Amino acid sequence: MCPRHGLCYSGAVARWIIIAALGLALVIALGAAGCGQKADEPNTIRLVAWKFNNPGLWRRLADQFERQHPPLRVALEIGPHSSTSFHDLLTQKLKNRSAEVDVFLMDVIWPPEFASAGWALPLDQLFDAGQRKRFVPAALEAASWRGRVYGAPLYLTAGVLYYRRDLLERYRLPVPQTWPQLVSQAKLIVAQDKSGLAGYSGQFKQYEGLVCDMLEFIWSAQGRALGPQGERCVLDRPAALKAVRFVRDALIGTAAPRGVLAYQEPESLSLFAQGGAVFMRNWFYAWPILSDSKRSQVAGKVGLAPLPRFSGGESASCLGGWQVGLSAYSKKPAQALKLIKFLTSETVQRRLALEEGLAPTRAALYQDPWVLKAHPHFAKLAPVLAGARPRPRTPLYPAVSEVMQVYFHRAISDSDSDLPELAGRAVQDIDRLLGLARGQ
Ligand code: GLC
């Protein structure tokens, strides 16, 4: 333990190494004992999914699959909404070689880890050259590791700026192009409006979403997390520090309420949907929710734009999205593949686009008249998606992300934080992890 800060970065790294070692020991022990496998119904496919905004969604899809593929059944286990917590739940099962998972949802950041750990089977039989052409290139790239595809791409997303169109119009303000401009507009509107509005809402809790939000600030200041070859962390360089300092000094506790330090996607969305904020950073899927007067008090009053940048930088969005993977410990890979094919089919992706506003990974759906009619904003999203940037790609990404989460959260929570020192320690720890990953 670090005497001054509780668990320090080195502590976090050591914890990851211990967790990995224990996990490996358990896997060997279970393998040797031949235990950990439950007898299971031959026609039941177990799907482990994260908790989507629309809670009934997975069951409805499972029902549709069952109707089309008798006698197969889908047993559903819904995990937490947070990608970080869902990762913990799922990887625990996979480390135990659990037969309770056949098919699982996989965040775009996980294929290097899941492939290297041997948890996800390659899905090459679903992706011959003809099939590959049908997918948006960024989706397939995110699903691949060392030339093989480990996740069938389900949907893509990226960070965008939601703004109160009515308020910008009322105060005759343009859509902000830079972060400082956004902050000064937010302050002006909040001061004039006097209704207790917050200026900005986003995801600043210590979890994966914080990494996405912070990297967008850093990229748009021409900074980076890792050097161009991905071998060294450069979060201690001036551009990255400038972006983190801006979030600490100009957003947290000023344009954004301090409460955002505990916000994930649902809390940040709920504040904005209740009419409580002028600006919000969120993923694409917030749009249909905000446009629906049953779920949003600001329906018809919201605009959507690329995220702002710093002067001299360019707007940058983090690439997000989910894929469907096949467990290496599944006893029913053939049946499981049927479910994976179904979930990522054009029909289901069209349904997800129409009903949930999820951006498809199948290229044809961007020309689909129904989809475009229901969601004309997809035309605006396509270029944002095309330019969206991936988070660092390494088998040790969860550990790298945890160091970033601790660093970012500590840096922006305390207005006196020593940024160069905190960044320096994060860089040291991430460099050690990258070194370990190279040795794998
Ligand atoms: C969304 C994105 C996912 C990201 C997560 C972070 O679920 O699709 O890629 O990791 O948000 O909170």
Side-chain angles (χ1 to χ4, degrees):
M1 288 289 263
C2 169
R4 196 142 65 92
H5 300 288
L7 185 70
C8 65
Y9 301 124
S10 308
V13 174
R15 190 156 74 79
W16 270 99
I17 295 169
I18 292 166
I19 290 172
L22 286 176
L24 188 66
L26 190 64
V27 160
I28 293 168
L30 286 175
C35 63
Q37 316 283 0
K38 268 198 207 155
D40 202 3
E41 302 220 356
N43 290 324
T44 302
I45 308 165
R46 295 179 175 271
L47 169 63
V48 181
W50 69 294
K51 184 163 169 228
F52 196 67
N53 280 315
N54 183 336
L57 174 74
W58 296 121
R59 192 62 255 169
R60 286 204 306 278
L61 291 175
D63 290 346
Q64 189 181 347
F65 173 79
E66 288 175 359
R67 280 195 300 275
Q68 291 175 10
H69 298 83
L72 296 181
R73 317 277 304 166
V74 180
L76 204 53
E77 178 174 348
I78 308 274
H81 179 91
S82 148
S83 167
T84 308
S85 316
F86 181 60
H87 176 271
D88 292 348
L89 171 112
L90 178 61
T91 55
Q92 198 51 49
K93 290 179 189 292
L94 294 169
K95 279 175 197 156
N96 291 343
R97 302 180 165 214
S98 167
E100 287 169 20
V101 191
D102 295 302
V103 175
F104 51 79
L105 269 282
M106 181 157 61
D107 195 334
V108 285
I109 46 191
W110 301 344
E113 178 197 15
F114 280 44
S116 307
W119 295 330
L121 288 180
L123 301 176
D124 298 324
Q125 62 272 58
L126 300 185
F127 293 96
D128 60 19
Q131 272 303 327
R132 282 170 182 259
K133 279 202 206 105
R134 294 171 192 254
F135 286 85
V136 173
L140 265 188
E141 230 167 85
S144 305
W145 182 244
R146 304 213 159 121
R148 305 187 82 173
V149 180
Y150 288 89
L154 181 63
Y155 72 88
L156 282 177
T157 188
V160 271
L161 180 72
Y162 293 89
Y163 58 91
R164 285 286 297 280
R165 201 160 31 80
D166 57 330
L167 293 175
L168 292 194
E169 275 165 19
R170 186 176 316 151
Y171 296 103
R172 298 176 189 283
L173 296 167
V175 178
Q177 302 294 311
T178 67
W179 290 112
Q181 194 187 7
L182 174 143
V183 166
S184 59
Q185 291 187 1
K187 284 187 175 157
L188 187 145
I189 296 174
V190 167
Q192 300 278 321
D193 186 82
K194 296 195 178 69
S195 67
L197 268 179
Y200 187 78
S201 182
Q203 301 83 45
F204 295 100
K205 185 181 167 157
Q206 188 177 309
Y207 80 117
E208 185 58 35
L210 174 66
V211 173
C212 303
D213 285 41
M214 293 304 294
L215 288 180
E216 288 168 345
F217 285 107
I218 290 171
W219 289 330
S220 70
Q222 293 182 304
R224 311 173 57 103
L226 304 188
Q229 307 308 326
E231 78 299 351
R232 267 194 47 74
C233 177
V234 291
L235 283 170
D236 55 350
R237 303 280 165 86
L241 290 178
K242 166 182 153 181
V244 176
R245 188 171 295 116
F246 176 86
V247 175
R248 182 191 70 181
D249 297 344
L251 280 182
I252 307 294
T254 48
R258 274 194 76 77
V260 294
L261 288 167
Y263 280 12
Q264 302 185 44
E265 286 85 359
E267 296 82 14
S268 53
L269 176 57
S270 142
L271 176 70
F272 190 82
Q274 285 165 18
V278 185
F279 297 108
M280 173 183 66
R281 180 270 177 209
N282 217 320
W283 304 102
F284 292 173
Y285 68 70
W287 180 259
I289 297 172
L290 291 169
S291 314
D292 175 355
S293 56
K294 286 193 226 79
R295 292 190 280 176
S296 149
Q297 290 173 33
V298 291
K301 298 178 181 169
V302 178
L304 181 71
L307 288 166
R309 55 185 170 76
F310 289 97
S311 69
E314 278 176 26
S315 165
S317 289
C318 180
L319 182 74
W322 290 79
Q323 310 159 352
V324 191
L326 169 58
S327 166
Y329 311 111
S330 170
K331 299 268 184 246
K332 307 152 203 164
Q335 292 93 321
L337 273 174
K338 285 190 183 154
L339 179 61
I340 295 177
K341 263 170 110 167
F342 165 83
L343 287 173
T344 55
S345 65
E346 199 167 308
T347 319
V348 171
Q349 290 203 14
R350 181 181 293 107
R351 183 170 168 188
L352 291 178
L354 291 175
E355 291 176 19
E356 305 296 329
L358 297 180
T361 59
R362 289 185 173 270
L365 290 171
Y366 288 88
Q367 318 289 331
D368 185 282
W370 289 294
V371 172
L372 290 179
K373 187 157 176 269
H375 295 297
H377 71 291
F378 272 19
K380 226 181 204 176
L381 300 182
V384 178
L385 211 45
R389 296 174 60 162
R391 283 159 269 174
R393 304 207 80 220
T394 153
L396 289 184
Y397 180 76
V400 170
S401 170
E402 188 179 340
V403 176
M404 286 196 278
Q405 292 169 31
V406 172
Y407 160 51
F408 290 141
H409 204 261
R410 193 166 288 158
I412 63 174
S413 302
D414 172 4
S415 52
D416 292 328
S417 60
D418 184 342
L419 293 187
E421 200 226 349
L422 292 175
R425 284 201 276 143
V427 165
Q428 251 181 24
D429 284 345
I430 290 175
D431 283 349
R432 269 176 57 198
L433 288 166
L434 295 174
L436 281 178
R438 272 195 296 278
Q440 279 195 348

